[in-house]
Amino acid sequence: MTQSPRRTFLKGTLAGGALVLAAASGWLVPRRVEAAEWNKDAFGAKKLEEAIQALYGTAAHTPSGSIKLKAPAQAENSAQVQIQVTAELPNVDSIAVLVEKNPNPLLALVNVTGAEPFLSARMKMAQTSDVYVIVKSGGKLYSAKQNIKVTVGGCGG
Amino acid sequence: MATERATKIRTKTQGGVTDVLVLVSHPMETGQRTDPKTKEKIPPHFIQKMTFMLNGKEIASASLGTAVSKDPLIGIKVKGTKAGDKIKVSWSDNMGESGSEEAAIG
């Protein structure tokens, strides 16, 4: 592949962006490991508990009514399931979303460093499953879950 | 050349809270599908990292897995923004592709 000017330009801006990022956050404030890199072990985990363990070093979490998970009870299109998570907890560090019965349960991990503890996304679901939200707040893990039914054949039941 | 992957940002401020919605045109291949014609596995190709910056300061960073839907639509919220504040979103995938987009809050 030939090097087009656009490629080079992209690379240039990327390197610049990384520098700014490092300057803004990396050197002055110690960052948690989970924030820095894409967590291969957690995303590659095949079991719910393994994924939570790989993310946080513990799989113990307390159910909390302060985490609102908005998702359909029944998904008509398993490739586009809309979810919305709001954590009404103080000092939220991160929000993780996991689909228990997906081949790799971990869907996403968001580290919150100024934004509100909120996340919306669309996800793929292999089959009917519980969806877990794990919120790290004040060093503790809190969770909420909801079952989402996937209708085979996509007829909407 | 890799295909152009459009990154779009939409913001809406209401009651002091700004919704930031990001849409990236990306296949988000899981690596579990098989090409119906060649019967070969389609390799995974998905966005791994997404970073949100407000006026150059990181406000959220997301790690994504393969289960995020094709053409990901990711939303976050941020408080206390002013009109004209800059939201910048950058992403990178497992094949080394990346993109970013900046938008001013209206």
Short mmCIF file of all heavy atoms in Angstrom, two decimals, chain B residues 1-52:
data_model
loop_
_atom_site.label_atom_id
_atom_site.label_comp_id
_atom_site.label_asym_id
_atom_site.label_seq_id
_atom_site.Cartn_x
_atom_site.Cartn_y
_atom_site.Cartn_z
N MET B 1 -6.52 0.94 -0.02
CA MET B 1 -6.89 1.89 1.04
C MET B 1 -8.06 1.36 1.85
O MET B 1 -8.97 0.73 1.34
CB MET B 1 -7.31 3.22 0.40
CG MET B 1 -6.18 4.14 -0.02
SD MET B 1 -5.05 4.58 1.30
CE MET B 1 -6.06 5.63 2.31
N ALA B 2 -7.99 1.66 3.09
CA ALA B 2 -9.12 1.31 3.94
C ALA B 2 -10.30 2.22 3.58
O ALA B 2 -10.09 3.34 3.11
CB ALA B 2 -8.74 1.51 5.40
N THR B 3 -11.46 1.71 3.79
CA THR B 3 -12.63 2.53 3.47
C THR B 3 -12.75 3.67 4.48
O THR B 3 -12.33 3.55 5.61
CB THR B 3 -13.91 1.68 3.54
OG1 THR B 3 -13.77 0.76 4.59
CG2 THR B 3 -14.17 0.98 2.24
N GLU B 4 -13.34 4.72 4.01
CA GLU B 4 -13.56 5.89 4.87
C GLU B 4 -14.53 5.54 5.99
O GLU B 4 -15.58 4.97 5.73
CB GLU B 4 -14.13 7.02 4.02
CG GLU B 4 -14.11 8.38 4.70
CD GLU B 4 -12.71 8.96 4.77
OE1 GLU B 4 -11.91 8.73 3.85
OE2 GLU B 4 -12.44 9.65 5.75
N ARG B 5 -14.14 5.83 7.21
CA ARG B 5 -15.04 5.56 8.33
C ARG B 5 -15.49 6.88 8.93
O ARG B 5 -14.74 7.53 9.64
CB ARG B 5 -14.35 4.72 9.38
CG ARG B 5 -13.74 3.47 8.80
CD ARG B 5 -13.87 2.31 9.74
NE ARG B 5 -13.24 1.14 9.16
CZ ARG B 5 -13.82 0.34 8.28
NH1 ARG B 5 -15.05 0.57 7.88
NH2 ARG B 5 -13.18 -0.70 7.81
N ALA B 6 -16.72 7.24 8.61
CA ALA B 6 -17.23 8.53 9.08
C ALA B 6 -17.48 8.49 10.58
O ALA B 6 -17.99 7.50 11.11
CB ALA B 6 -18.51 8.86 8.34
N THR B 7 -17.07 9.52 11.25
CA THR B 7 -17.36 9.70 12.67
C THR B 7 -18.25 10.93 12.79
O THR B 7 -17.90 11.98 12.26
CB THR B 7 -16.07 9.91 13.46
OG1 THR B 7 -15.14 8.89 13.13
CG2 THR B 7 -16.32 9.89 14.96
N LYS B 8 -19.39 10.76 13.44
CA LYS B 8 -20.31 11.90 13.56
C LYS B 8 -20.62 12.15 15.03
O LYS B 8 -20.79 11.20 15.80
CB LYS B 8 -21.61 11.62 12.80
CG LYS B 8 -21.45 11.69 11.31
CD LYS B 8 -22.77 11.37 10.62
CE LYS B 8 -22.55 11.11 9.14
NZ LYS B 8 -23.63 10.31 8.59
N ILE B 9 -20.73 13.41 15.37
CA ILE B 9 -21.07 13.78 16.76
C ILE B 9 -22.33 14.64 16.74
O ILE B 9 -22.47 15.53 15.90
CB ILE B 9 -19.93 14.59 17.41
CG1 ILE B 9 -18.63 13.81 17.39
CG2 ILE B 9 -20.30 14.97 18.85
CD1 ILE B 9 -17.45 14.58 17.95
N ARG B 10 -23.22 14.33 17.66
CA ARG B 10 -24.40 15.18 17.82
C ARG B 10 -24.51 15.55 19.29
O ARG B 10 -24.37 14.67 20.15
CB ARG B 10 -25.65 14.43 17.36
CG ARG B 10 -26.75 15.37 16.89
CD ARG B 10 -27.91 14.59 16.33
NE ARG B 10 -28.56 13.83 17.39
CZ ARG B 10 -29.39 12.82 17.16
NH1 ARG B 10 -29.64 12.43 15.93
NH2 ARG B 10 -29.97 12.20 18.14
N THR B 11 -24.73 16.80 19.59
CA THR B 11 -24.89 17.20 20.98
C THR B 11 -26.22 17.90 21.17
O THR B 11 -26.74 18.53 20.24
CB THR B 11 -23.77 18.16 21.44
OG1 THR B 11 -23.90 19.38 20.71
CG2 THR B 11 -22.39 17.57 21.22
N LYS B 12 -26.75 17.74 22.36
CA LYS B 12 -28.00 18.43 22.70
C LYS B 12 -27.94 18.81 24.17
O LYS B 12 -27.70 17.95 25.02
CB LYS B 12 -29.20 17.51 22.44
CG LYS B 12 -30.53 18.23 22.47
CD LYS B 12 -31.68 17.30 22.15
CE LYS B 12 -32.13 16.57 23.40
NZ LYS B 12 -33.25 15.65 23.15
N THR B 13 -28.11 20.08 24.48
CA THR B 13 -28.05 20.51 25.87
C THR B 13 -29.46 20.84 26.35
O THR B 13 -30.19 21.57 25.68
CB THR B 13 -27.14 21.74 26.03
OG1 THR B 13 -25.88 21.44 25.45
CG2 THR B 13 -26.95 22.09 27.49
N GLN B 14 -29.80 20.28 27.48
CA GLN B 14 -31.13 20.51 28.05
C GLN B 14 -31.01 20.45 29.57
O GLN B 14 -30.46 19.49 30.10
CB GLN B 14 -32.09 19.42 27.55
CG GLN B 14 -33.53 19.89 27.46
CD GLN B 14 -34.39 18.90 26.70
OE1 GLN B 14 -34.20 17.71 26.80
NE2 GLN B 14 -35.36 19.40 25.94
N GLY B 15 -31.48 21.48 30.24
CA GLY B 15 -31.45 21.50 31.69
C GLY B 15 -30.05 21.36 32.28
O GLY B 15 -29.87 20.72 33.31
N GLY B 16 -29.07 21.93 31.62
CA GLY B 16 -27.71 21.92 32.15
C GLY B 16 -26.92 20.66 31.86
O GLY B 16 -25.77 20.54 32.23
N VAL B 17 -27.57 19.69 31.21
CA VAL B 17 -26.87 18.46 30.87
C VAL B 17 -26.77 18.33 29.35
O VAL B 17 -27.75 18.54 28.64
CB VAL B 17 -27.62 17.22 31.44
CG1 VAL B 17 -26.86 15.94 31.10
CG2 VAL B 17 -27.79 17.36 32.94
N THR B 18 -25.57 18.03 28.88
CA THR B 18 -25.37 17.87 27.44
C THR B 18 -25.26 16.40 27.09
O THR B 18 -24.46 15.67 27.66
CB THR B 18 -24.09 18.61 27.00
OG1 THR B 18 -24.17 19.97 27.41
CG2 THR B 18 -23.90 18.53 25.50
N ASP B 19 -26.11 15.98 26.17
CA ASP B 19 -26.01 14.63 25.62
C ASP B 19 -25.02 14.66 24.47
O ASP B 19 -25.12 15.51 23.60
CB ASP B 19 -27.37 14.17 25.07
CG ASP B 19 -28.36 13.90 26.17
OD1 ASP B 19 -28.06 13.04 27.00
OD2 ASP B 19 -29.42 14.55 26.19
N VAL B 20 -24.09 13.74 24.48
CA VAL B 20 -23.15 13.62 23.38
C VAL B 20 -23.36 12.25 22.74
O VAL B 20 -23.22 11.22 23.41
CB VAL B 20 -21.69 13.75 23.86
CG1 VAL B 20 -20.72 13.61 22.69
CG2 VAL B 20 -21.47 15.06 24.59
N LEU B 21 -23.74 12.25 21.47
CA LEU B 21 -23.97 11.00 20.76
C LEU B 21 -22.94 10.87 19.65
O LEU B 21 -22.74 11.79 18.88
CB LEU B 21 -25.37 11.00 20.13
CG LEU B 21 -26.49 10.28 20.87
CD1 LEU B 21 -27.76 10.39 20.05
CD2 LEU B 21 -26.16 8.84 21.16
N VAL B 22 -22.30 9.72 19.60
CA VAL B 22 -21.26 9.50 18.59
C VAL B 22 -21.65 8.31 17.73
O VAL B 22 -22.04 7.25 18.24
CB VAL B 22 -19.91 9.21 19.25
CG1 VAL B 22 -18.84 9.03 18.20
CG2 VAL B 22 -19.53 10.31 20.21
N LEU B 23 -21.58 8.51 16.43
CA LEU B 23 -21.87 7.43 15.49
C LEU B 23 -20.65 7.21 14.60
O LEU B 23 -20.16 8.14 13.97
CB LEU B 23 -23.09 7.81 14.63
CG LEU B 23 -23.50 6.80 13.56
CD1 LEU B 23 -24.08 5.55 14.19
CD2 LEU B 23 -24.53 7.42 12.63
N VAL B 24 -20.13 5.99 14.59
CA VAL B 24 -18.99 5.66 13.73
C VAL B 24 -19.43 4.59 12.74
O VAL B 24 -20.07 3.61 13.14
CB VAL B 24 -17.80 5.13 14.56
CG1 VAL B 24 -16.59 4.90 13.66
CG2 VAL B 24 -17.44 6.07 15.69
N SER B 25 -19.14 4.80 11.47
CA SER B 25 -19.44 3.77 10.48
C SER B 25 -18.34 2.72 10.57
O SER B 25 -17.22 2.95 10.14
CB SER B 25 -19.44 4.35 9.07
OG SER B 25 -20.24 5.49 9.05
N HIS B 26 -18.66 1.61 11.17
CA HIS B 26 -17.64 0.58 11.41
C HIS B 26 -18.31 -0.79 11.42
O HIS B 26 -19.37 -0.95 12.00
CB HIS B 26 -16.94 0.85 12.75
CG HIS B 26 -15.63 0.15 12.88
ND1 HIS B 26 -15.54 -1.20 13.12
CD2 HIS B 26 -14.36 0.60 12.79
CE1 HIS B 26 -14.25 -1.53 13.17
NE2 HIS B 26 -13.51 -0.46 12.98
N PRO B 27 -17.69 -1.81 10.79
CA PRO B 27 -18.36 -3.11 10.70
C PRO B 27 -18.52 -3.84 12.03
O PRO B 27 -19.45 -4.63 12.19
CB PRO B 27 -17.46 -3.91 9.76
CG PRO B 27 -16.12 -3.24 9.83
CD PRO B 27 -16.40 -1.79 10.08
N MET B 28 -17.63 -3.60 13.00
CA MET B 28 -17.67 -4.28 14.29
C MET B 28 -17.81 -5.80 14.10
O MET B 28 -18.72 -6.44 14.64
CB MET B 28 -18.81 -3.75 15.17
CG MET B 28 -18.67 -2.30 15.57
SD MET B 28 -17.14 -1.86 16.47
CE MET B 28 -17.50 -2.43 18.11
N GLU B 29 -16.88 -6.37 13.32
CA GLU B 29 -16.89 -7.83 13.10
C GLU B 29 -16.47 -8.54 14.39
O GLU B 29 -15.48 -8.17 15.01
CB GLU B 29 -15.91 -8.20 11.99
CG GLU B 29 -16.47 -8.15 10.59
CD GLU B 29 -17.66 -9.05 10.36
OE1 GLU B 29 -17.86 -10.02 11.12
OE2 GLU B 29 -18.40 -8.77 9.40
N THR B 30 -17.19 -9.58 14.75
CA THR B 30 -16.91 -10.27 16.00
C THR B 30 -15.80 -11.31 15.88
O THR B 30 -15.22 -11.72 16.87
CB THR B 30 -18.16 -11.01 16.51
OG1 THR B 30 -18.52 -11.98 15.52
CG2 THR B 30 -19.29 -10.06 16.75
N GLY B 31 -15.55 -11.79 14.67
CA GLY B 31 -14.61 -12.89 14.51
C GLY B 31 -15.29 -14.24 14.65
O GLY B 31 -14.66 -15.29 14.55
N GLN B 32 -16.60 -14.23 14.87
CA GLN B 32 -17.35 -15.48 15.05
C GLN B 32 -18.16 -15.84 13.81
O GLN B 32 -18.72 -16.92 13.72
CB GLN B 32 -18.33 -15.34 16.23
CG GLN B 32 -17.73 -14.62 17.39
CD GLN B 32 -17.77 -15.41 18.66
OE1 GLN B 32 -18.20 -16.54 18.67
NE2 GLN B 32 -17.30 -14.83 19.74
N ARG B 33 -18.23 -14.88 12.87
CA ARG B 33 -19.05 -15.14 11.69
C ARG B 33 -18.23 -15.84 10.61
O ARG B 33 -17.02 -15.71 10.53
CB ARG B 33 -19.58 -13.82 11.13
CG ARG B 33 -20.56 -13.12 12.06
CD ARG B 33 -21.41 -12.15 11.32
NE ARG B 33 -20.64 -11.28 10.43
CZ ARG B 33 -21.10 -10.79 9.30
NH1 ARG B 33 -22.31 -11.09 8.89
NH2 ARG B 33 -20.35 -10.00 8.56
N THR B 34 -18.95 -16.56 9.76
CA THR B 34 -18.31 -17.24 8.64
C THR B 34 -18.84 -16.63 7.35
O THR B 34 -20.03 -16.37 7.23
CB THR B 34 -18.66 -18.74 8.66
OG1 THR B 34 -18.38 -19.23 9.97
CG2 THR B 34 -17.84 -19.51 7.66
N ASP B 35 -17.93 -16.39 6.42
CA ASP B 35 -18.35 -15.87 5.12
C ASP B 35 -19.18 -16.93 4.42
O ASP B 35 -18.72 -18.05 4.21
CB ASP B 35 -17.09 -15.52 4.29
CG ASP B 35 -17.46 -14.77 3.02
OD1 ASP B 35 -18.40 -15.20 2.33
OD2 ASP B 35 -16.79 -13.76 2.72
N PRO B 36 -20.43 -16.63 4.05
CA PRO B 36 -21.29 -17.66 3.45
C PRO B 36 -20.76 -18.20 2.13
O PRO B 36 -21.06 -19.34 1.76
CB PRO B 36 -22.63 -16.94 3.26
CG PRO B 36 -22.36 -15.48 3.43
CD PRO B 36 -21.10 -15.34 4.22
N LYS B 37 -19.96 -17.41 1.40
CA LYS B 37 -19.46 -17.86 0.11
C LYS B 37 -18.20 -18.71 0.26
O LYS B 37 -18.11 -19.82 -0.27
CB LYS B 37 -19.16 -16.66 -0.80
CG LYS B 37 -20.42 -15.98 -1.29
CD LYS B 37 -20.12 -15.02 -2.44
CE LYS B 37 -21.31 -14.13 -2.70
NZ LYS B 37 -21.19 -12.81 -2.08
N THR B 38 -17.21 -18.20 0.97
CA THR B 38 -15.93 -18.90 1.05
C THR B 38 -15.87 -19.89 2.20
O THR B 38 -14.94 -20.68 2.28
CB THR B 38 -14.78 -17.89 1.22
OG1 THR B 38 -14.98 -17.21 2.46
CG2 THR B 38 -14.74 -16.86 0.11
N LYS B 39 -16.85 -19.86 3.09
CA LYS B 39 -16.89 -20.71 4.29
C LYS B 39 -15.71 -20.44 5.23
O LYS B 39 -15.36 -21.27 6.05
CB LYS B 39 -16.89 -22.21 3.92
CG LYS B 39 -17.95 -22.61 2.92
CD LYS B 39 -19.33 -22.64 3.55
CE LYS B 39 -20.37 -23.10 2.53
NZ LYS B 39 -21.62 -22.35 2.67
N GLU B 40 -15.09 -19.30 5.03
CA GLU B 40 -13.97 -18.98 5.91
C GLU B 40 -14.42 -18.02 6.99
O GLU B 40 -15.32 -17.22 6.80
CB GLU B 40 -12.84 -18.33 5.09
CG GLU B 40 -11.92 -19.36 4.46
CD GLU B 40 -10.92 -18.71 3.53
OE1 GLU B 40 -10.55 -17.56 3.76
OE2 GLU B 40 -10.53 -19.40 2.56
N LYS B 41 -13.74 -18.11 8.13
CA LYS B 41 -14.06 -17.21 9.24
C LYS B 41 -13.69 -15.78 8.87
O LYS B 41 -12.63 -15.53 8.30
CB LYS B 41 -13.28 -17.63 10.49
CG LYS B 41 -13.92 -18.79 11.21
CD LYS B 41 -14.29 -18.41 12.62
CE LYS B 41 -15.14 -19.51 13.25
NZ LYS B 41 -15.49 -19.22 14.63
N ILE B 42 -14.58 -14.86 9.20
CA ILE B 42 -14.28 -13.45 8.99
C ILE B 42 -13.52 -12.96 10.23
O ILE B 42 -13.99 -13.14 11.35
CB ILE B 42 -15.59 -12.63 8.82
CG1 ILE B 42 -16.39 -13.19 7.64
CG2 ILE B 42 -15.28 -11.17 8.63
CD1 ILE B 42 -17.79 -12.64 7.53
N PRO B 43 -12.32 -12.42 10.02
CA PRO B 43 -11.52 -12.02 11.19
C PRO B 43 -12.17 -10.88 11.97
O PRO B 43 -12.89 -10.06 11.38
CB PRO B 43 -10.18 -11.57 10.58
CG PRO B 43 -10.49 -11.28 9.15
CD PRO B 43 -11.63 -12.14 8.76
N PRO B 44 -11.93 -10.84 13.27
CA PRO B 44 -12.51 -9.75 14.06
C PRO B 44 -11.97 -8.39 13.63
O PRO B 44 -10.81 -8.26 13.28
CB PRO B 44 -12.09 -10.06 15.49
CG PRO B 44 -10.97 -11.02 15.39
CD PRO B 44 -11.14 -11.75 14.09
N HIS B 45 -12.83 -7.42 13.62
CA HIS B 45 -12.46 -6.06 13.28
C HIS B 45 -13.42 -5.14 14.02
O HIS B 45 -14.56 -4.98 13.64
CB HIS B 45 -12.56 -5.86 11.75
CG HIS B 45 -12.06 -4.51 11.32
ND1 HIS B 45 -12.32 -3.99 10.08
CD2 HIS B 45 -11.32 -3.59 11.96
CE1 HIS B 45 -11.76 -2.79 9.98
NE2 HIS B 45 -11.15 -2.53 11.10
N PHE B 46 -12.94 -4.58 15.10
CA PHE B 46 -13.86 -3.81 15.94
C PHE B 46 -13.12 -2.69 16.67
O PHE B 46 -11.91 -2.75 16.89
CB PHE B 46 -14.55 -4.73 16.96
CG PHE B 46 -13.60 -5.41 17.90
CD1 PHE B 46 -13.45 -4.95 19.21
CD2 PHE B 46 -12.85 -6.50 17.49
CE1 PHE B 46 -12.56 -5.58 20.08
CE2 PHE B 46 -11.96 -7.12 18.36
CZ PHE B 46 -11.81 -6.67 19.65
N ILE B 47 -13.87 -1.68 17.05
CA ILE B 47 -13.31 -0.55 17.79
C ILE B 47 -13.02 -0.99 19.22
O ILE B 47 -13.85 -1.62 19.87
CB ILE B 47 -14.29 0.64 17.78
CG1 ILE B 47 -14.45 1.16 16.36
CG2 ILE B 47 -13.81 1.76 18.71
CD1 ILE B 47 -15.46 2.26 16.21
N GLN B 48 -11.81 -0.69 19.69
CA GLN B 48 -11.42 -1.08 21.05
C GLN B 48 -11.46 0.09 22.02
O GLN B 48 -11.82 -0.07 23.17
CB GLN B 48 -10.01 -1.67 21.03
CG GLN B 48 -9.95 -3.04 20.36
CD GLN B 48 -8.59 -3.67 20.46
OE1 GLN B 48 -7.58 -3.00 20.26
NE2 GLN B 48 -8.55 -4.95 20.76
N LYS B 49 -11.04 1.24 21.54
CA LYS B 49 -10.96 2.38 22.46
C LYS B 49 -11.70 3.58 21.88
O LYS B 49 -11.65 3.84 20.67
CB LYS B 49 -9.50 2.79 22.68
CG LYS B 49 -8.65 1.77 23.40
CD LYS B 49 -8.97 1.61 24.87
CE LYS B 49 -8.64 2.85 25.69
NZ LYS B 49 -8.95 2.59 27.13
N MET B 50 -12.36 4.31 22.75
CA MET B 50 -13.01 5.54 22.35
C MET B 50 -12.81 6.56 23.47
O MET B 50 -13.09 6.26 24.63
CB MET B 50 -14.50 5.30 22.09
CG MET B 50 -15.17 6.43 21.33
SD MET B 50 -16.90 6.07 21.01
CE MET B 50 -16.83 5.32 19.41
N THR B 51 -12.31 7.73 23.10
CA THR B 51 -12.00 8.74 24.12
C THR B 51 -12.81 10.00 23.85
O THR B 51 -12.93 10.44 22.70
CB THR B 51 -10.50 9.09 24.08
OG1 THR B 51 -9.76 7.88 24.10
CG2 THR B 51 -10.10 9.92 25.28
N PHE B 52 -13.36 10.54 24.90
CA PHE B 52 -14.16 11.77 24.81
C PHE B 52 -13.40 12.89 25.51
O PHE B 52 -13.02 12.75 26.66
CB PHE B 52 -15.52 11.60 25.49
CG PHE B 52 -16.38 10.52 24.89
CD1 PHE B 52 -16.17 9.19 25.21
CD2 PHE B 52 -17.40 10.85 24.01
CE1 PHE B 52 -16.96 8.20 24.65
CE2 PHE B 52 -18.20 9.86 23.45
CZ PHE B 52 -17.97 8.53 23.77
#
